[in-house]
Amino acid sequence: MRHFNAVIRSIAFATCALAHAPGFAALQPGDKAPAFSTTGAMAGKTFIFDIGAELQKGPVVLYFFPKAFTQGCTLEAHAFAEASPQFKQAGATVVGISHDDIDTLKKFSTEACRDQFAVISDPEAKTIRAYDATHAARPNMADRISYVIGKDGKIAFVHEGSDPMQHVEKTLAAVKKLGSSK
């Protein structure tokens, strides 16, 4: 019986570890970023976000987050909001994306994003799947993954990980590097 319990514990541990392990993005630097258009919110107001139109202005930091108003996602939004002037100075647009409905994101865009950047809704997870940002344990939700997309429409940088602060630091460094390589 002890052996059986040990085996069950091992299987349970392995299953839990896999469910919480970070995935690996299928999109890599140099890959073409999938085109999409969807409803977004900025400062509590809705608009249509089109990645192609936004890339004409400069690089885009597209960060996927699991769920608005959760602890990690709120911390990440606050950090991106604080760093927004630096992203703007580097010529980049920051956009968060999740499966949350647009009404939730209207509120999140003001409270958590502090009216500094847009968040966009992907309730059917089409864009989440296109960017291979699907959460392993919850297929309709996004995992925490960030892409820096160059003005040429190609992925310039990818970061996956559970630490929301690293997403801000690493994408800002990538945007600055992208700007300095011109």
Side-chain angles (χ1 to χ4, degrees), residues 155-170:
I155 304 296
F157 177 79
V158 182
H159 177 68
E160 277 188 273
S162 60
D163 183 342
M165 305 313 276
Q166 284 188 353
H167 287 266
V168 177
E169 295 164 11
K170 292 185 180 220

Side-chain angles (χ1 to χ4, degrees), residues 52 54-60 149-154 178 182:
E54 205 59 44
L55 285 169
Q56 290 178 5
K57 301 174 193 173
V60 172
I149 306 167
K151 194 172 179 178
D152 61 0
K154 293 184 180 178
L178 191 62
K182 290 181 181 179

Side-chain angles (χ1 to χ4, degrees), residues 3 12 18 51 53 58 62 64 94 117 132 150 167:
H3 178 69
L18 283 173
I51 189 74
L62 182 64
F64 291 84
V94 173
F117 63 93
D132 199 28
H167 287 266

Side-chain angles (χ1 to χ4, degrees), residues 3-37:
H3 178 69
F4 178 75
N5 287 339
V7 168
I8 295 299
R9 276 195 305 272
S10 295
I11 291 170
F13 177 77
T15 301
C16 185
L18 283 173
H20 295 290
F24 294 97
L27 299 180
Q28 297 297 315
D31 289 349
K32 184 82 173 145
F36 68 93
S37 179

Side-chain angles (χ1 to χ4, degrees), residues 6-133:
V7 168
I8 295 299
R9 276 195 305 272
S10 295
I11 291 170
F13 177 77
T15 301
C16 185
L18 283 173
H20 295 290
F24 294 97
L27 299 180
Q28 297 297 315
D31 289 349
K32 184 82 173 145
F36 68 93
S37 179
T38 190
T39 305
M42 170 89 173
K45 298 190 180 356
T46 59
F47 69 100
I48 299 300
F49 177 87
D50 181 272
I51 189 74
E54 205 59 44
L55 285 169
Q56 290 178 5
K57 301 174 193 173
V60 172
V61 174
L62 182 64
Y63 85 90
F64 291 84
F65 63 97
K67 187 159 180 56
F69 295 109
T70 58
Q71 184 177 5
C73 297
T74 300
L75 287 172
E76 186 173 32
H78 287 174
F80 269 115
E82 286 179 23
S84 282
Q86 295 172 52
F87 282 102
K88 287 176 186 164
Q89 184 178 18
T93 300
V94 173
V95 182
I97 181 170
S98 77
H99 80 290
D100 291 297
D101 63 68
I102 195 61
D103 288 332
T104 299
L105 292 179
K106 282 170 55 177
K107 187 176 176 184
F108 191 71
S109 74
T110 295
E111 293 180 20
C113 304
R114 300 176 175 160
D115 299 337
Q116 294 296 307
F117 63 93
V119 282
I120 54 179
S121 179
D122 187 21
E124 295 177 15
K126 290 178 183 176
T127 304
I128 292 168
R129 284 189 298 277
Y131 279 80
D132 199 28

